[in-house]
Amino acid sequence: MSPEPYRVPEFPHCIDFEVVSLEEAKSRFPTLKTVEVNPTGIPSHVRNLVDLTAANVVKYGGDFEEAVSAREVNNPAFAFLRPPFVSPEQIYYIWRVYSLSQGDTMNRWRTTPFQMYLGDCAVWIPPALFQSEIETDIASSKAPSNGTTPLEESEKNEFFTMLRELKGTRESISKAMVFCIEHADSSKQISDILADALTLRETPWQMKLSRIHLISDILHNSACRAPDARLYRKMVEEILPRIFVSLRETLQITDELRQPINNVLQVWKKWQIFPDNFVKSLRSSIEQ
């Protein structure tokens, strides 16, 4: 059983358990509690959702976690966010947030047992790196697609609603980003919808900026393990020239959008998502 209460902002720095082995720890501390993180029995689509949520909790903080938990209170897919934190999914989620917050990555993490909380007697045991069961599960969970699977009508309406309600807040942008990553097999249609939404002349510039930030968040998370998420880089690269030509028209009406857009381009250049010449061409599009 994992220690409670669980609060992400209160995580202290990782403390490696200073013993030769877990067996020695148990001999020294007869009442020692252990929490073993074992993701092998968790379905790959659930693990992908946990990984994506954990990464964004580390990025945006505990308020984001609370907002998602409140919004998805009736969604069983997000049960890992709610106590008592005893299921394999919940334990995996807590470990994943803690691990990422300590500088580990999705593919490389410390495997030595550790104490998560100062003063707590529980010792957490991370999963082994590159477990064959996980690799097999990921490889067989879903065949790669080319991103052309059409959205269901209800899914398309849900995405349209998200775009209309996008307010530039972390919560609204992250909610839409999670939808896009979860539906990456429809990345072509989603990218086309984003392009259409960003080229409407009557759309306020603040809304356009929020949608650009959504695209940026999608690109940032396109390297996650979610099936087909990688396709977004190609799909987005195809729509950006048309979007930036349209943004030039918006900038002729108001210049308030120029600096935020340049900031986004600078971030993309730093991430090395696209070739430098491509990013330069986008910047040239709005400066003509």
Side-chain angles (χ1 to χ4, degrees), residues 144-150 183-191 228 230-231 235:
S145 77
N146 57 4
T148 58
T149 302
H183 296 83
D185 56 342
S186 303
S187 54
K188 178 68 169 67
Q189 184 178 10
I190 288 173
S191 297
D228 304 320
R230 58 182 175 76
L231 295 174
M235 302 299 182

Side-chain angles (χ1 to χ4, degrees), residues 53-236:
T53 305
N56 279 284
V57 167
V58 171
K59 181 179 179 180
Y60 296 122
D63 290 343
F64 171 79
E65 182 193 54
E66 291 179 0
V68 173
S69 181
R71 187 185 69 236
E72 305 293 347
V73 65
N74 296 316
N75 187 347
F78 286 86
F80 60 85
L81 290 175
R82 296 183 286 275
F85 303 111
V86 294
S87 72
E89 294 83 0
Q90 292 167 325
I91 290 173
Y92 176 70
Y93 170 70
I94 296 174
W95 165 77
R96 182 59 98 178
V97 173
Y98 185 76
S99 173
L100 293 173
S101 72
Q102 301 303 319
D104 294 343
T105 70
M106 286 292 182
N107 298 315
R108 301 288 296 180
W109 56 81
R110 284 164 285 188
T111 58
T112 53
F114 65 92
Q115 288 178 289
M116 188 179 294
Y117 297 91
L118 288 169
D120 187 83
C121 61
V123 174
W124 286 64
I125 307 171
L129 288 172
F130 309 122
Q131 296 180 59
S132 60
E133 295 90 347
I134 295 179
E135 294 172 345
T136 300
D137 188 33
I138 293 173
S140 62
S141 62
K142 185 177 180 181
S145 77
N146 57 4
T148 58
T149 302
L151 291 169
E152 298 287 343
E153 194 64 27
S154 60
E155 294 171 337
K156 187 165 62 174
N157 291 335
E158 181 182 359
F159 187 49
F160 281 142
T161 300
M162 288 180 183
L163 289 180
R164 285 194 297 268
E165 295 178 351
L166 216 56
K167 299 176 181 177
T169 63
R170 288 178 175 179
E171 181 185 353
S172 64
I173 292 174
S174 294
K175 178 182 177 181
M177 179 274 296
V178 170
F179 175 93
C180 294
I181 296 298
E182 289 179 345
H183 296 83
D185 56 342
S186 303
S187 54
K188 178 68 169 67
Q189 184 178 10
I190 288 173
S191 297
D192 287 343
I193 291 172
L194 283 168
D196 291 342
L198 273 159
T199 52
L200 293 172
R201 290 187 176 183
E202 61 271 23
T203 303
W205 70 266
Q206 296 92 336
M207 180 67 76
K208 289 190 176 185
L209 180 60
S210 295
R211 291 169 180 173
I212 288 291
H213 285 160
L214 170 58
I215 288 178
S216 191
D217 246 25
I218 292 170
L219 290 171
H220 179 75
N221 287 279
S222 64
C224 75
R225 297 190 312 171
D228 304 320
R230 58 182 175 76
L231 295 174
Y232 273 112
R233 293 197 177 193
K234 176 179 180 295
M235 302 299 182
V236 169

